């Protein structure tokens, strides 16, 4: 009898051990939990929530060896609802560990977008200099006030954590920044301004941004506003950001202001514009009031940058939400909805007196390359159609680099085609006549969920003697970086089966392909 009891106890032990193991694996991203994160259209190397609805990245801050990513989250449905802040951390920007929800809606309102900082000097008094608090600054959106016709239903609140973001306390005197009577008054991004030794807060106020300052993150004074007479105004301004960048990685510093806007993006719906100029801790002066777009695809929105990246690193790291409000709530995924873009490094260049913010995929992505799968195609002149033998690389989970010698090419246009056996395709190309890149997803598969999804996205671009295309494809998304991120296009597609052919097509002449390199990417989950 005793023997049996032992045996049963042993069995229970084994079962519970392997269960704990599996859930640990899920947390840490071990590959052996292979059913995990393998639903149709599930991104394999992009961040997406385990289940439920996600939109904007929030509160991105680096602290104690971890990149924090919070996000607009509704755990109970795959469509938008009462907003929480979901939470994940990563040591390398690539592999993510899911953590419990950081902020829940409360009697003041839903928890809309915002930012987080390390309060190194303990200006809030929430912690100590030895254990500085992480402080989150977010918008409280009060649905009851909105429904009752009031316009001041968005106010800013703060919360803090003293245990590396694991638990959060909302400040008892919230909200800290009251609505001055503006209908859209949200998405605060906070930065520490060295020159004035003050916190600055930039937030969107309908058709402009407003800037505030504070010594303690609790009491805010208005400083200035920007934008009512600048940039694109096809929609509401949302999710701004403001940060310094070195020009051409050299000595001169300029300030970049990011302003997301919905609708009115360059190819319809949501889009991200930016301005470059000077900032003194009080006021932003743009070098040009014209809009520049950070991404010409339709699926990169609400992106902002990480706070407190160590000086030794020095990068300005960006992440966007890979969707578009035109159809975000109806894209054909079941368990979860939406993913983030790959993390990108922003760099500032001055070219012919004009400022350009480049986005490059972060170098940490290189670790995902499955070197054994890598194929390099030698230089070749192409006329008409050429199918590349991509062997057994999964074209829905790969990275592709394509160098073209345009000086020795005569073609009117060039097209890269990803195709599957069902006749579905995504086409990426360049037209010499119109001087435009394009992404054509008109035949990309499932599109009947929205009549605003299909279509061709265009991006103006003058190519030089050589051009490089760098692509990341992951399940249902494609990110295209042209010439080290001088032009970026991020687009979703929902093909009914994986791509199995990669073709290059030149029309009206030939094209010299200098080098094509393709490599499979490992999954992160
Ligand atoms: C942008 C946005 C923000 C807002 C949040 C709500 O996508 O509309 O302006 O804070 O989403 O979820």
């Amino acid at each position: 009898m005793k023997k049996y009891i032992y045996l049963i106890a042993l069995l229970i032990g084994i079962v519970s051990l392997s269960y704990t193991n599996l859930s640990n694996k899920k947390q840490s991203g071990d590959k052996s939990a292979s059913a995990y994160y393998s639903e149709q259209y599930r991104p394999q190397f992009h961040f997406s929530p385990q289940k439920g609805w996600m939109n904007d990245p929030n509160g991105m801050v680096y602290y104690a060896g971890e990149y924090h990513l919070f996000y607009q989250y509704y755990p109970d449905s795959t469509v938008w609802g009462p907003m929480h802040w979901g939470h994940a951390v990563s040591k390398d920007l690539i592999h993510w560990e899911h953590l419990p929800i950081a902020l829940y809606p409360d009697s003041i309102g839903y928890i809309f977008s915002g930012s987080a900082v390390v309060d190194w000097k303990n200006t809030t008094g929430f912690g100590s200099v030895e254990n500085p608090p992480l402080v989150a600054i977010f918008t409280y959106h009060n649905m009851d006030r909105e429904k009752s016709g009031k316009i001041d239903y968005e106010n800013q609140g703060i919360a803090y954590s003293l245990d590396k973001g694991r638990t959060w306390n909302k400040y008892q005197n919230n909200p800290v920044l009251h609505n001055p009577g503006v209908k859209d008054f949200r998405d605060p991004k906070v930065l520490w301004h060295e020159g004035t030794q003050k916190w600055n807060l930039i937030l969107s106020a309908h058709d402009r941004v407003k800037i505030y300052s504070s010594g303690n993150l609790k009491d805010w004074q208005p400083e200035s506003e920007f934008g009512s007479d600048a940039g694109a105004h096809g929609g509401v301004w949302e999710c701004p950001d403001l940060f310094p960048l070195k020009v051409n990685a050299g000595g001169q510093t300029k300030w970049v202001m990011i302003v997301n806007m919905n609708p009115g993006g360059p190819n319809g719906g949501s889009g991200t514009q930016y301005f470059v100029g000077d900032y003194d801790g009080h006021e932003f002066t743009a070098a040009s009031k014209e809009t520049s777009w950070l991404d010409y695809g339709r699926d990169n929105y609400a992106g902002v940058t990480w706070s407190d990246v160590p000086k030794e690193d020095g990068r300005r790291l960006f992440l966007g939400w890979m969707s578009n409000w035109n159809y975000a709530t109806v894209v054909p995924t079941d368990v979860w909805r939406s993913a983030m873009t790959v993390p990108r490094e922003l760099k500032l260049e001055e070219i012919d007196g004009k400022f350009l913010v480049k986005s490059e995929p972060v170098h940490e992505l290189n670790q995902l390359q499955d070197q054994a799968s890598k194929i390099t195609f030698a230089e070749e002149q192409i006329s008409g159609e050429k199918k590349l033998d991509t062997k057994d690389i999964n074209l829905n989970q790969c990275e592709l680099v394509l160098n073209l010698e345009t000086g020795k090419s005569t073609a009117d246009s060039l097209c890269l085609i990803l195709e599957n056996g069902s006749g579905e395709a995504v086409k990426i190309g360049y037209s010499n006549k119109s001087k435009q890149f394009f992404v054509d997803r008109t035949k990309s598969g499932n599109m009947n969920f929205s009549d605003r999804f299909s279509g061709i996205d265009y991006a103006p671009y003058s190519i030089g003697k050589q051009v490089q295309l760098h692509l990341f494809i992951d399940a249902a998304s494609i990110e295209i970086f042209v010439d080290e991120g001088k032009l970026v296009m991020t687009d979703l597609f929902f093909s009914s089966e994986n791509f199995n052919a990669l073709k290059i097509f030149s029309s009206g002449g030939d094209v010299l392909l200098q080098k094509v390199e393709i490599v499979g990417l490992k999954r992160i989950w």
Side-chain angles (χ1 to χ4, degrees):
M1 186 63 189
K2 231 179 180 177
K3 223 162 81 188
Y4 285 117
I5 294 175
Y6 266 138
L7 206 68
I8 289 170
L10 195 76
L11 273 175
I12 293 175
I14 293 173
V15 168
S16 67
L17 232 166
S18 46
Y19 178 78
T20 329
N21 257 344
L22 181 68
S23 44
N24 284 345
K25 273 169 195 159
K26 285 180 179 179
Q27 292 282 313
S28 66
D30 190 305
K31 280 176 230 104
S32 62
S34 61
Y36 188 57
Y37 271 68
S38 31
E39 304 92 345
Q40 191 183 20
Y41 304 132
R42 177 68 97 166
Q44 297 301 302
F45 59 89
H46 286 81
F47 180 83
S48 63
Q50 288 176 302
K51 66 169 188 75
W53 165 269
M54 176 180 83
N55 55 291
D56 316 357
N58 293 154
M60 295 189 301
V61 63
Y62 180 89
Y63 182 59
E66 293 177 323
Y67 293 95
H68 289 264
L69 169 61
F70 301 87
Y71 49 90
Q72 287 288 279
Y73 189 41
Y74 185 39
D76 300 332
S77 166
T78 49
V79 291
W80 191 92
M83 282 290 112
H84 303 54
W85 272 27
H87 190 196
V89 286
S90 171
K91 290 190 166 55
D92 62 2
L93 285 169
I94 305 296
H95 299 90
W96 295 96
E97 180 187 345
H98 293 293
L99 292 180
I101 289 172
L103 298 172
Y104 286 79
D106 59 41
S107 60
I108 313 180
Y110 293 178
I111 314 293
F112 270 22
S113 286
S115 53
V117 288
V118 186
D119 182 14
W120 293 106
K121 296 178 200 247
N122 191 32
T123 61
T124 50
F126 290 148
S128 61
V129 175
E130 294 71 39
N131 186 27
L134 283 181
V135 182
I137 308 94
F138 52 86
T139 298
Y140 266 123
H141 183 103
N142 190 296
M143 287 307 254
D144 294 337
R145 283 188 82 74
E146 182 182 10
K147 278 185 196 138
S148 70
K150 305 260 181 350
I151 60 165
D152 59 351
Y153 50 83
E154 290 184 331
N155 295 277
Q156 322 312 314
I158 57 177
Y160 65 95
S161 167
L162 297 174
D163 57 0
K164 297 186 186 168
R166 271 35 182 199
T167 56
W168 289 84
N169 309 291
K170 288 184 186 133
Y171 178 49
Q172 60 197 24
N173 295 332
N174 273 338
V176 292
L177 174 53
H178 291 267
N179 192 307
V182 183
K183 192 164 172 288
D184 301 286
F185 185 68
R186 59 174 176 263
D187 309 337
K189 180 80 162 66
V190 167
L191 63 131
W192 175 256
H193 188 260
E194 277 299 329
T196 53
Q197 290 287 300
K198 284 225 166 117
W199 295 108
N200 287 170
L201 180 154
I202 179 169
L203 87 176
S204 66
H206 194 66
D207 63 346
R208 64 197 71 187
V209 295
K210 284 180 181 283
I211 294 173
Y212 293 79
S213 68
S214 170
N216 59 9
L217 293 169
K218 297 170 186 165
D219 307 303
W220 293 96
Q221 289 80 45
E223 290 285 348
S224 60
E225 52 180 57
F226 170 83
S228 57
D229 62 346
H233 284 278
V236 175
W237 281 26
E238 299 182 317
C239 301
D241 197 353
L242 183 61
F243 49 86
L245 272 185
K246 292 243 152 69
V247 183
N248 304 332
Q252 197 200 2
T253 295
K254 287 277 168 189
W255 285 73
V256 176
M257 182 187 285
I258 285 182
V259 179
N260 286 278
M261 186 181 66
N262 180 63
N267 281 290
S270 318
T272 307
Q273 61 184 322
Y274 67 86
F275 306 91
V276 180
D278 295 306
Y279 181 64
D280 59 1
H282 305 285
E283 208 174 345
F284 177 78
T285 320
S288 159
K289 287 182 174 175
E290 253 172 63
T291 283
S292 302
W293 298 104
L294 200 64
D295 192 316
Y296 275 87
R298 266 181 290 169
D299 297 297
N300 176 4
Y301 190 58
V304 287
T305 67
W306 257 280
S307 179
D308 293 281
V309 173
K311 279 215 174 70
E312 314 84 79
D313 181 320
R315 288 177 297 172
R316 185 47 63 171
L317 299 166
F318 169 98
L319 194 75
W321 171 49
M322 204 152 52
S323 199
N324 188 311
W325 281 117
N326 267 354
Y327 41 74
T329 57
V330 291
V331 294
T333 58
D334 286 337
V335 181
W336 85 104
R337 260 211 189 91
S338 302
M340 298 301 178
T341 63
V342 290
R344 301 168 182 188
E345 181 184 356
L346 303 184
K347 291 183 180 169
L348 181 59
E349 276 199 10
E350 189 176 2
I351 305 168
D352 304 330
K354 274 192 148 187
F355 292 107
L356 175 82
V357 176
K358 301 198 299 180
S359 308
E360 288 183 55
V362 294
H363 62 73
E364 283 89 342
L365 282 159
N366 294 345
Q367 66 186 284
L368 297 179
Q369 294 181 354
D370 171 12
Q371 292 302 334
S373 73
K374 193 178 228 167
I375 308 172
T376 307
F377 300 87
E379 183 170 300
E380 192 178 345
Q381 195 87 24
I382 293 204
S383 186
E385 187 178 287
K386 157 98 187 166
K387 185 174 173 209
L388 298 176
D389 179 9
T390 53
K391 305 218 166 86
D392 50 8
I393 288 182
N394 176 356
L395 294 177
N396 286 67
Q397 197 177 322
C398 72
E399 180 181 349
L400 182 79
V401 178
L402 197 132
N403 289 329
L404 289 172
E405 175 86 56
T406 52
K408 293 182 187 157
S409 308
T410 56
D412 292 335
S413 69
L414 171 86
C415 196
L416 200 72
I417 308 167
L418 285 152
E419 246 176 34
N420 67 17
S422 304
E424 297 162 353
V426 171
K427 295 182 185 170
I428 301 120
Y430 183 75
S431 159
N432 238 337
K433 279 198 188 127
S434 63
K435 303 270 173 253
Q436 280 175 325
F437 269 98
F438 60 87
V439 176
D440 178 348
R441 61 181 182 193
T442 54
K443 297 193 172 61
S444 60
N446 187 354
M447 288 172 292
N448 56 17
F449 52 87
S450 164
D451 56 11
R452 294 195 284 188
F453 183 79
S454 180
I456 309 177
D457 294 349
Y458 293 99
Y461 195 76
S462 288
I463 53 175
K465 284 223 165 75
Q466 289 174 323
V467 65
Q468 183 187 67
L469 269 70
H470 189 175
L471 278 71
F472 286 83
I473 305 160
D474 187 6
S477 67
I478 182 155
E479 289 159 281
I480 304 156
F481 301 87
V482 178
D483 290 340
E484 272 141 6
K486 283 190 184 147
L487 176 79
V488 187
M489 298 182 86
T490 304
D491 280 290
L492 297 176
F493 58 85
F494 297 94
S495 55
S496 58
E497 54 179 299
N498 273 0
F499 297 129
N500 59 6
L502 174 64
K503 292 175 180 166
I504 296 185
F505 187 78
S506 82
S507 65
D510 52 34
V511 162
L512 182 66
L513 283 184
Q514 264 183 328
K515 189 165 132 185
V516 182
E517 215 166 65
I518 179 161
V519 62
L521 296 180
K522 292 178 243 173
R523 74 193 294 245
I524 61 168
W525 303 105

